[in-house]
PDB file of all heavy atoms in Angstrom:
ATOM      1  N   GLN A 450     -21.257  18.610  37.005  1.00 98.00           N
ATOM      2  CA  GLN A 450     -20.468  18.992  38.183  1.00 98.00           C
ATOM      3  C   GLN A 450     -20.774  20.468  38.469  1.00 98.00           C
ATOM      4  O   GLN A 450     -20.534  21.337  37.607  1.00 98.00           O
ATOM      5  CB  GLN A 450     -18.969  18.811  37.935  1.00 98.00           C
ATOM      6  CG  GLN A 450     -18.188  19.080  39.221  1.00 98.00           C
ATOM      7  CD  GLN A 450     -16.699  18.829  39.083  1.00 98.00           C
ATOM      8  OE1 GLN A 450     -16.144  18.932  37.995  1.00 98.00           O
ATOM      9  NE2 GLN A 450     -16.053  18.529  40.199  1.00 98.00           N
ATOM     10  N   PRO A 451     -21.334  20.721  39.649  1.00 97.00           N
ATOM     11  CA  PRO A 451     -21.742  22.104  39.956  1.00 97.00           C
ATOM     12  C   PRO A 451     -20.551  23.057  40.059  1.00 97.00           C
ATOM     13  O   PRO A 451     -19.449  22.646  40.405  1.00 97.00           O
ATOM     14  CB  PRO A 451     -22.424  21.982  41.319  1.00 97.00           C
ATOM     15  CG  PRO A 451     -22.631  20.532  41.548  1.00 97.00           C
ATOM     16  CD  PRO A 451     -21.603  19.815  40.757  1.00 97.00           C
ATOM     17  N   LYS A 452     -20.845  24.317  39.761  1.00 97.00           N
ATOM     18  CA  LYS A 452     -19.841  25.385  39.964  1.00 97.00           C
ATOM     19  C   LYS A 452     -20.455  26.324  41.009  1.00 97.00           C
ATOM     20  O   LYS A 452     -21.638  26.662  40.918  1.00 97.00           O
ATOM     21  CB  LYS A 452     -19.609  26.160  38.668  1.00 97.00           C
ATOM     22  CG  LYS A 452     -18.988  25.347  37.551  1.00 97.00           C
ATOM     23  CD  LYS A 452     -18.977  26.174  36.261  1.00 97.00           C
ATOM     24  CE  LYS A 452     -18.599  25.326  35.054  1.00 97.00           C
ATOM     25  NZ  LYS A 452     -18.888  26.004  33.793  1.00 97.00           N
ATOM     26  N   TYR A 453     -19.644  26.709  41.966  1.00 97.00           N
ATOM     27  CA  TYR A 453     -20.162  27.544  43.067  1.00 97.00           C
ATOM     28  C   TYR A 453     -19.483  28.908  43.079  1.00 97.00           C
ATOM     29  O   TYR A 453     -18.330  29.041  42.692  1.00 97.00           O
ATOM     30  CB  TYR A 453     -19.901  26.846  44.406  1.00 97.00           C
ATOM     31  CG  TYR A 453     -20.848  25.681  44.648  1.00 97.00           C
ATOM     32  CD1 TYR A 453     -20.585  24.426  44.118  1.00 97.00           C
ATOM     33  CD2 TYR A 453     -22.000  25.855  45.412  1.00 97.00           C
ATOM     34  CE1 TYR A 453     -21.458  23.366  44.338  1.00 97.00           C
ATOM     35  CE2 TYR A 453     -22.878  24.793  45.638  1.00 97.00           C
ATOM     36  CZ  TYR A 453     -22.595  23.556  45.092  1.00 97.00           C
ATOM     37  OH  TYR A 453     -23.464  22.513  45.310  1.00 97.00           O
ATOM     38  N   ASN A 454     -20.261  29.871  43.595  1.00 95.00           N
ATOM     39  CA  ASN A 454     -19.663  31.184  43.850  1.00 95.00           C
ATOM     40  C   ASN A 454     -19.024  31.113  45.222  1.00 95.00           C
ATOM     41  O   ASN A 454     -19.706  30.863  46.222  1.00 95.00           O
ATOM     42  CB  ASN A 454     -20.773  32.255  43.828  1.00 95.00           C
ATOM     43  CG  ASN A 454     -20.209  33.636  44.066  1.00 95.00           C
ATOM     44  OD1 ASN A 454     -19.262  33.809  44.856  1.00 95.00           O
ATOM     45  ND2 ASN A 454     -20.775  34.624  43.398  1.00 95.00           N
ATOM     46  N   PRO A 455     -17.689  31.290  45.305  1.00 93.00           N
ATOM     47  CA  PRO A 455     -17.032  31.069  46.598  1.00 93.00           C
ATOM     48  C   PRO A 455     -17.423  32.116  47.661  1.00 93.00           C
ATOM     49  O   PRO A 455     -17.343  31.833  48.856  1.00 93.00           O
ATOM     50  CB  PRO A 455     -15.546  31.173  46.254  1.00 93.00           C
ATOM     51  CG  PRO A 455     -15.477  31.931  44.982  1.00 93.00           C
ATOM     52  CD  PRO A 455     -16.751  31.716  44.258  1.00 93.00           C
ATOM     53  N   SER A 456     -17.885  33.279  47.234  1.00 90.00           N
ATOM     54  CA  SER A 456     -18.223  34.317  48.218  1.00 90.00           C
ATOM     55  C   SER A 456     -19.578  34.024  48.848  1.00 90.00           C
ATOM     56  O   SER A 456     -19.743  34.102  50.070  1.00 90.00           O
ATOM     57  CB  SER A 456     -18.262  35.700  47.556  1.00 90.00           C
ATOM     58  OG  SER A 456     -17.091  35.871  46.789  1.00 90.00           O
ATOM     59  N   THR A 457     -20.527  33.581  47.980  1.00 92.00           N
ATOM     60  CA  THR A 457     -21.882  33.364  48.513  1.00 92.00           C
ATOM     61  C   THR A 457     -22.136  31.899  48.834  1.00 92.00           C
ATOM     62  O   THR A 457     -23.072  31.566  49.543  1.00 92.00           O
ATOM     63  CB  THR A 457     -22.920  33.799  47.468  1.00 92.00           C
ATOM     64  OG1 THR A 457     -22.718  32.989  46.287  1.00 92.00           O
ATOM     65  CG2 THR A 457     -22.781  35.270  47.090  1.00 92.00           C
ATOM     66  N   GLY A 458     -21.310  31.013  48.248  1.00 91.00           N
ATOM     67  CA  GLY A 458     -21.512  29.572  48.452  1.00 91.00           C
ATOM     68  C   GLY A 458     -22.716  29.048  47.682  1.00 91.00           C
ATOM     69  O   GLY A 458     -23.217  27.964  47.953  1.00 91.00           O
ATOM     70  N   LYS A 459     -23.185  29.800  46.708  1.00 94.00           N
ATOM     71  CA  LYS A 459     -24.370  29.404  45.933  1.00 94.00           C
ATOM     72  C   LYS A 459     -23.969  28.640  44.664  1.00 94.00           C
ATOM     73  O   LYS A 459     -22.926  28.926  44.065  1.00 94.00           O
ATOM     74  CB  LYS A 459     -25.169  30.649  45.517  1.00 94.00           C
ATOM     75  CG  LYS A 459     -25.912  31.313  46.636  1.00 94.00           C
ATOM     76  CD  LYS A 459     -27.210  30.563  46.898  1.00 94.00           C
ATOM     77  CE  LYS A 459     -27.886  31.109  48.159  1.00 94.00           C
ATOM     78  NZ  LYS A 459     -28.813  30.148  48.749  1.00 94.00           N
ATOM     79  N   LEU A 460     -24.834  27.736  44.253  1.00 96.00           N
ATOM     80  CA  LEU A 460     -24.605  26.978  43.020  1.00 96.00           C
ATOM     81  C   LEU A 460     -24.975  27.882  41.844  1.00 96.00           C
ATOM     82  O   LEU A 460     -26.141  28.311  41.735  1.00 96.00           O
ATOM     83  CB  LEU A 460     -25.466  25.712  43.042  1.00 96.00           C
ATOM     84  CG  LEU A 460     -25.153  24.601  42.054  1.00 96.00           C
ATOM     85  CD1 LEU A 460     -25.759  23.278  42.531  1.00 96.00           C
ATOM     86  CD2 LEU A 460     -25.615  24.886  40.655  1.00 96.00           C
TER      87      LEU A 460
END
Side-chain angles (χ1 to χ4, degrees):
Q450 186 176 27
K452 295 173 190 166
Y453 285 84
N454 181 324
S456 311
T457 60
K459 287 279 172 202
L460 195 160

